[in-house]
């Protein structure tokens, strides 16, 4: 243990100095020997460390997005080498190397805060064993040993004996109840953080080794926290519980506002974005513009949620621009109006009736019935003819081949007086 302490001695002094500075502030409010002063000092240390790690977290998000852009290529590799797992893994690693991405980038925040964790652990372990460490002198050491968090001393552990706990001024039952509750909360927050990452913020259309690693960590990390937590002092449990709650809230914020393309979180986000954009008729801030711009640039590579979003804007009479803005467009309304007019005209137009098929007897008789129907139609359409038109029509109908008679006009004779024949022809 002394070897490990010596390895992290370069950071033990700064960590102890930060805790002392926060203790000075909170000590004036709650009292220097209270658990509130020392507990809030540890919580403030966590918040300060996580704020300093925000740039690293942003880098992690960018690396994750770069991994997402490679998912189509990953899918091709999976389909090409689906029967050769070893070759598939080799091609995946080659793709990671060529694109400059790292599938383990999500572990960077944990690795970055590990030195602070070990430094805090050795500071609190020194308080438990009665040894000064860093800038914590004898006076601060005595004050820290008197501090209790909900009845449990700051330096007490779950596995401590009753005599050791009694020397710190507490009972073994209080210590074990407090540490057990904190271990359960710490493991539960870690599990929930990993679970919401896997169920809400992962593109399930492509399965990668990275996803399998995340799924494994979702179950491994809570068990590790539960096993090692029984040997952590109460102060270290406060540190890990605080950092897990911070990570959970940070992850919820990212999933809600910047989800992974193709995930369930993106479907929910685009649904909310469509309601806001269709209500206001424009994108409201820079983040919304960036999301819309990324969707427009994809073109045919959009996933089903992004296509649904663009189609919804078009139906609402809005058009997404390449710069991420949204403008009103009349094309959808005009198309809808034209479609309605065409549909109305089509509905109003009468159906074309097919002629009835005649029987063999009707065809042999010369089609008497159709001639009568044609006569009736002519009498209805030509209503502006002279009054003697019905008689003429009657004569015409009587002269049909089916009547057995022929009119003089059809036999070649002219109506009225005829001219005398020319004398020359006589």
């Amino acid at each position: 243990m002394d070897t490990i302490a010596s390895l992290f001695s370069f950071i033990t002094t700064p960590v102890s100095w930060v805790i002392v500075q926060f203790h000075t502030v909170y000590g004036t409010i709650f009292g220097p020997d209270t658990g509130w002063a020392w507990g809030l000092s540890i919580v403030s240390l966590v918040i300060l460390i996580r704020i300093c790690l925000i740039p690293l977290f942003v880098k992690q998000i960018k690396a994750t997005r770069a991994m997402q852009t490679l998912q189509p290529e990953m899918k091709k590799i999976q389909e090409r080498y689906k029967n050769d797992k070893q070759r598939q893994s080799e091609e995946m690693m080659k793709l990671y190397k060529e694109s400059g991405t790292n599938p383990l980038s999500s572990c960077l925040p944990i690795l970055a805060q590990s030195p602070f964790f070990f430094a805090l652990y050795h500071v609190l372990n020194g308080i438990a064993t009665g040894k000064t460490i860093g800038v914590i002198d004898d006076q601060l050491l005595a004050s820290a040993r008197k501090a209790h968090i909900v009845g449990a001393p700051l330096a007490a552990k779950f596995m401590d004996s009753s005599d050791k706990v009694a020397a710190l001024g507490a009972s073994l039952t209080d210590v074990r109840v407090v540490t057990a509750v904190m271990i359960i909360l710490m493991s539960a927050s870690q599990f929930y953080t990993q679970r919401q990452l896997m169920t809400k913020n992962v593109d399930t259309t492509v399965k990668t080794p990275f996803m399998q690693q995340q799924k494994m960590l979702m179950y491994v990390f809570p068990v590790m926290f539960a096993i090692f937590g029984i040997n952590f002092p109460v102060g270290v449990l406060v540190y890990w519980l605080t950092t897990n709650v911070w990570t959970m809230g940070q992850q919820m914020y990212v999933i809600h506002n910047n989800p992974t393309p193709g995930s369930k979180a993106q479907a929910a986000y685009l649904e909310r974005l469509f309601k806001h954009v269709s209500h206001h008729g424009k994108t409201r801030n820079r983040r919304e513009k960036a999301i819309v711009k990324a969707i427009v640039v994809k073109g045919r590579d959009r996933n089903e949620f992004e296509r649904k979003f663009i189609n919804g804007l078009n139906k609402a009479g809005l058009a997404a621009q390449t710069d991420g803005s949204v403008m009103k467009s009349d094309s959808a309304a005009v198309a809808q109006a034209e479609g309605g007019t065409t549909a109305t005209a089509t509905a109003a137009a009468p159906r074309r009736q097919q002629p009835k098929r005649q029987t063999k007897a009707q065809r042999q008789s010369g089609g008497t019935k159709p001639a009568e129907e044609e006569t009736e139609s002519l009498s209805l359409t030509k209503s502006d003819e002279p009054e003697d038109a019905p008689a003429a029509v009657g004569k015409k109908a009587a002269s049909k081949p089916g009547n057995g008679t022929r009119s003089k006009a059809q036999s070649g004779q002219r109506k009225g007086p005829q001219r005398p024949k020319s004398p020359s022809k006589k």
Side-chain angles (χ1 to χ4, degrees):
M1 188 65 66
D2 294 336
T3 303
I4 298 176
S6 61
L7 292 175
F8 292 96
S9 60
F10 69 95
I11 199 171
T12 302
T13 301
V15 168
S16 62
W17 182 84
V18 172
I19 292 177
V20 170
Q21 300 307 312
F22 282 122
H23 175 263
T24 303
V25 176
Y26 293 120
T28 58
I29 301 174
F30 302 102
D33 299 336
T34 60
W36 284 102
W38 286 99
L40 289 176
S41 299
I42 297 173
V43 172
S44 300
L45 174 66
V46 174
I47 295 174
L48 179 62
I49 292 174
R50 297 309 298 266
I51 291 174
C52 294
L53 291 178
I54 287 178
L56 185 61
F57 177 75
V58 173
K59 186 177 180 180
Q60 173 193 355
I61 294 296
K62 292 181 178 179
T64 304
R65 293 293 183 265
M67 287 286 297
Q68 293 164 4
T69 58
L70 297 179
Q71 289 185 358
E73 298 295 331
M74 295 178 185
K75 190 173 182 179
K76 293 179 181 178
I77 292 174
Q78 288 177 350
E79 293 176 353
R80 185 179 302 172
Y81 305 105
K82 59 182 179 180
N83 297 325
D84 190 352
K85 298 298 181 182
Q86 183 178 359
R87 182 65 183 277
Q88 185 181 120
S89 300
E90 292 176 357
E91 293 296 327
M92 287 288 187
M93 293 302 157
K94 183 178 179 181
L95 180 63
Y96 295 151
K97 185 176 181 181
E98 292 176 353
S99 59
T101 56
N102 186 3
L104 299 177
S105 59
S106 61
C107 300
L108 290 177
I110 296 177
L111 295 176
Q113 65 178 331
S114 295
F116 299 97
F117 164 73
F118 284 111
L120 179 63
Y121 177 82
H122 292 303
V123 169
L124 296 176
N125 188 62
I127 293 174
T129 56
K131 297 179 180 179
T132 59
I133 186 170
V135 298
I136 296 179
D137 53 13
D138 294 333
Q139 183 179 358
L140 292 172
L141 179 63
S143 175
R145 290 177 65 87
K146 295 178 183 178
H148 290 67
I149 298 177
V150 199
L154 194 68
K157 304 176 185 177
F158 182 87
M159 299 300 294
D160 284 345
S161 62
S162 58
D163 296 337
K164 188 173 182 179
V165 173
L168 295 173
S171 65
L172 183 62
T173 303
D174 293 340
V175 171
R176 290 191 173 178
V177 169
V178 172
T179 52
V181 171
M182 296 181 71
I183 289 171
I184 292 172
L185 293 176
M186 183 177 62
S187 301
S189 59
Q190 179 67 33
F191 177 78
Y192 181 78
T193 301
Q194 293 292 328
R195 187 176 184 275
Q196 71 174 350
L197 181 65
M198 292 298 300
T199 57
K200 296 182 180 180
N201 203 38
V202 171
D203 186 1
T204 56
T205 59
V206 180
K207 294 182 180 181
T208 62
F210 174 71
M211 293 175 58
Q212 299 297 327
Q213 292 171 3
Q214 289 292 327
K215 189 175 182 179
M216 181 180 64
L217 293 177
M218 180 175 66
Y219 296 99
V220 171
F221 274 171
V223 175
M224 290 177 59
F225 279 120
I227 293 174
F228 293 116
I230 60 177
N231 293 314
F232 288 162
V234 173
V236 176
L237 294 178
V238 171
Y239 175 90
W240 269 116
L241 179 59
T242 306
T243 191
N244 283 355
V245 172
W246 177 284
T247 303
M248 182 174 64
Q250 187 173 255
Q251 191 69 50
M252 291 175 65
Y253 176 82
V254 171
I255 292 175
H256 187 269
N257 296 283
N258 192 15
T260 300
S263 62
K264 295 180 180 179
Q266 190 196 29
Y269 175 79
L270 291 180
E271 185 177 354
R272 295 192 305 269
L273 181 60
F274 172 73
K275 291 180 180 179
H276 295 161
V277 173
S278 60
H279 178 71
H280 297 282
K282 61 180 181 179
T283 49
R284 298 176 299 173
N285 50 48
R286 186 179 301 175
R287 179 172 53 83
E288 291 184 353
K289 287 186 177 180
I291 295 293
V292 175
K293 180 180 179 181
I295 294 175
V296 173
V297 170
K298 285 186 178 181
R300 296 183 179 180
D301 295 333
R302 302 185 189 113
N303 56 49
E304 56 177 336
F305 307 125
E306 294 167 346
R307 288 194 295 268
K308 183 179 178 181
F309 173 74
I310 295 295
N311 294 335
L313 290 179
N314 293 335
K315 291 180 181 179
L318 300 173
Q321 307 298 317
T322 55
D323 60 349
S325 61
V326 175
M327 298 179 62
K328 291 184 179 180
S329 175
D330 296 333
S331 58
V334 171
Q336 186 176 3
E338 291 179 353
T341 304
T342 306
T344 305
T346 305
R351 289 186 177 181
R352 183 178 179 182
Q353 296 182 356
Q354 298 292 338
K356 294 183 179 180
R357 185 175 182 181
Q358 297 179 355
T359 62
K360 184 177 182 180
Q362 289 176 346
R363 291 196 298 270
Q364 290 177 353
S365 63
T368 306
K369 190 173 180 180
E372 292 175 358
E373 292 178 357
E374 183 180 357
T375 303
E376 292 178 1
S377 63
L378 289 173
S379 63
L380 292 175
T381 54
K382 298 182 180 180
S383 59
D384 56 342
E385 292 182 355
E387 294 181 355
D388 58 347
V393 173
K395 292 179 180 180
K396 185 176 181 180
S399 64
K400 290 293 181 180
N403 294 334
T405 60
R406 296 181 64 183
S407 63
K408 294 181 180 181
Q410 289 178 342
S411 62
Q413 298 180 359
R414 297 182 180 179
K415 295 181 180 181
Q418 296 181 359
R419 289 184 182 183
K421 294 183 178 180
S422 175
S424 61
K425 290 183 179 180
K426 290 182 179 182

